[in-house]
């Protein structure tokens, strides 16, 4: 069992959520736990000191929490409380659980779905946020990356919003819900999102232009679930892909595509400009 004074569990594919989680962790002095690492190492048991905070940060995938995040939460053991040096049964009194999702435009009912999963392990995110960040999902017909100008506009807006988020989390303010659900959140999450998670979370449509690939191996390095081997890359097709598109967006020569439709679409991963 791992003991932390406080922690933020996070997942990120193209870097948006990683940046957000890092900003919050640095400001309030909490430790980051990267969900793919925790899964890889079998770390599912944690202890909290009395009154500590626990946070979850993740990108919205298909208007739902990513499959890898839901898998991790369902694998968590019921949290234990750490009091006077001894382990006690988890009690919600005095602890503060919060969650934040990044999204390109809106997040539907992603937080409702997250809290249903958290309830199974004795948790509930009492304060929740969505933060608009540059679009990175390009595999549906109506979805494209943002223009460079729109990217910077979103990042600057997120930077301003995070100052407020940090203050709320630091003060443990309960009942705050700053969410951009969109016009029809139920349709987004339970119809479109259901289709996405049933049909689009797969590596079977990834392809590489072998004559363009430089065999740099970057795609394998950035894959959070170790789903890519060899150069040119081959995908394992064993169900572990989480459709984060890290391989697609990080390829320096755009040799990777998800089916034919992404050949004329842009690439994006978070790069903080100074």
């Amino acid at each position: 069992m791992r003991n932390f004074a406080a922690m933020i569990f996070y997942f990120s594919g193209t870097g948006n959520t990683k940046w957000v989680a890092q900003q919050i962790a640095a400001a309030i002095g909490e430790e980051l736990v990267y969900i793919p690492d925790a899964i890889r190492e079998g770390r599912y048991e944690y202890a909290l000191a009395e009154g500590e905070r626990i946070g979850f940060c993740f990108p919205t995938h298909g208007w739902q929490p990513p499959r890898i995040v839901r898998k991790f939460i369902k694998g968590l053991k019921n949290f234990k409380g750490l009091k006077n040096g001894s382990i006690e049964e988890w009690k919600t009194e005095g602890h503060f659980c919060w969650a934040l999702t990044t999204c390109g435009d809106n997040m539907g009912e992603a937080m409702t779905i997250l809290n249903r999963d958290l309830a199974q392990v004795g948790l509930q995110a009492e304060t929740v946020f969505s933060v608009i960040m540059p679009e990175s999902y390009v595999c549906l017909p109506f979805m494209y990356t943002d223009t460079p100008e729109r990217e910077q506009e979103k990042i600057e807006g997120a930077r301003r919003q995070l100052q407020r988020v940090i203050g709320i989390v630091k003060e443990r303010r309960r009942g705050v819900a700053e969410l951009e659900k969109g016009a029809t959140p139920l349709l987004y999450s339970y119809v479109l999102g259901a289709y996405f998670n049933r049909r689009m979370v797969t590596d079977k449509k990834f392809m590489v232009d072998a004559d363009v690939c430089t065999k740099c191996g970057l795609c394998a390095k950035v894959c959070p679930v170790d789903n890519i081997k060899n150069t040119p890359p081959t995908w394992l097709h064993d169900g572990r892909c989480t459709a984060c598109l890290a391989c697609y967006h990080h390829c320096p020569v755009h040799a990777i595509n998800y089916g034919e439709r992404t050949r004329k679409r842009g690439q994006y991963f978070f790069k903080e400009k100074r």
Side-chain angles (χ1 to χ4, degrees):
M1 178 178 292
R2 294 287 298 274
N3 296 338
F4 290 102
M7 67 199 83
I8 299 172
F9 295 104
Y10 81 100
F11 170 69
S12 186
T14 54
N16 283 336
T17 307
K18 179 180 181 180
W19 174 73
V20 168
Q22 287 175 333
Q23 302 306 300
I24 299 172
I28 63 178
E30 297 191 357
E31 184 156 358
L32 288 172
V33 178
Y34 186 44
I35 287 175
D37 285 345
I39 292 175
R40 192 178 293 114
E41 297 164 13
R43 291 189 276 128
Y44 289 98
E45 296 187 39
Y46 299 86
L48 288 174
E50 186 177 16
E52 294 294 355
R53 292 176 293 245
I54 178 171
F56 293 87
C57 294
F58 59 92
T60 296
H61 281 187
W63 297 280
Q64 296 185 5
R67 178 185 292 177
I68 190 172
V69 174
R70 302 188 71 186
K71 173 185 176 182
F72 175 69
I73 290 171
K74 290 174 182 177
L76 284 171
K77 311 301 181 184
N78 280 5
F79 279 82
K80 303 292 185 179
L82 186 64
K83 184 177 181 180
N84 298 325
S86 62
I87 300 295
E88 297 181 352
E89 289 299 317
W90 167 264
K91 298 180 179 62
T92 57
E93 293 84 354
H95 294 84
F96 176 65
C97 181
W98 60 276
L100 181 151
T101 184
T102 59
C103 53
D105 291 295
N106 55 67
M107 39 73 69
E109 293 290 340
M111 283 299 175
T112 302
I113 296 169
L114 177 82
N115 266 328
R116 287 176 184 165
D117 291 343
L118 288 175
Q120 301 303 308
V121 294
L123 285 173
Q124 199 73 177
E126 303 168 88
T127 285
V128 291
F129 309 93
S130 63
V131 175
I132 303 298
M133 290 290 287
E135 183 63 69
S136 63
Y137 195 76
V138 295
C139 299
L140 291 174
F142 52 89
M143 303 189 83
Y144 296 82
T145 54
D146 294 312
T147 64
E149 294 77 17
R150 182 61 176 146
E151 285 179 8
Q152 287 308 304
E153 182 180 319
K154 286 184 174 182
I155 291 170
E156 289 307 313
R159 198 187 305 276
R160 292 190 296 270
Q161 182 183 0
L162 282 176
Q163 297 308 306
R164 184 172 66 257
V165 169
I166 287 166
I168 291 170
V169 172
K170 185 180 292 186
E171 296 167 8
R172 295 179 171 84
R173 287 173 51 191
R174 291 177 163 81
V176 177
E178 297 185 1
L179 301 175
E180 186 58 61
K181 291 188 174 185
T184 54
L186 296 176
L187 172 67
Y188 293 152
S189 290
Y190 299 118
V191 179
L192 297 177
Y195 174 84
F196 173 87
N197 282 283
R198 184 173 64 251
R199 300 292 298 275
M200 304 294 287
V201 183
T202 175
D203 60 3
K204 292 181 180 179
K205 293 186 178 181
F206 281 112
M207 58 179 63
V208 59
D209 295 327
D211 58 333
V212 177
C213 175
T214 63
K215 300 183 180 181
C216 67
L218 182 59
C219 53
K221 292 177 183 177
V222 300
C223 178
V225 292
D226 305 320
N227 188 47
I228 297 174
K229 304 295 182 185
N230 307 320
T231 55
T234 56
W235 289 262
L236 298 185
H237 304 320
D238 63 0
R240 73 177 70 186
C241 180
T242 192
C244 69
L245 298 187
C247 58
Y248 165 88
H249 285 293
H250 282 85
C251 179
V253 292
H254 208 331
I256 294 173
N257 284 283
Y258 188 87
E260 292 294 332
R261 69 164 57 101
T262 62
R263 289 186 182 278
K264 296 182 180 180
R265 302 196 179 185
Q267 293 174 289
Y268 165 83
F269 61 91
F270 183 85
K271 301 181 290 293
E272 187 167 13
K273 293 186 178 180
R274 302 187 181 277

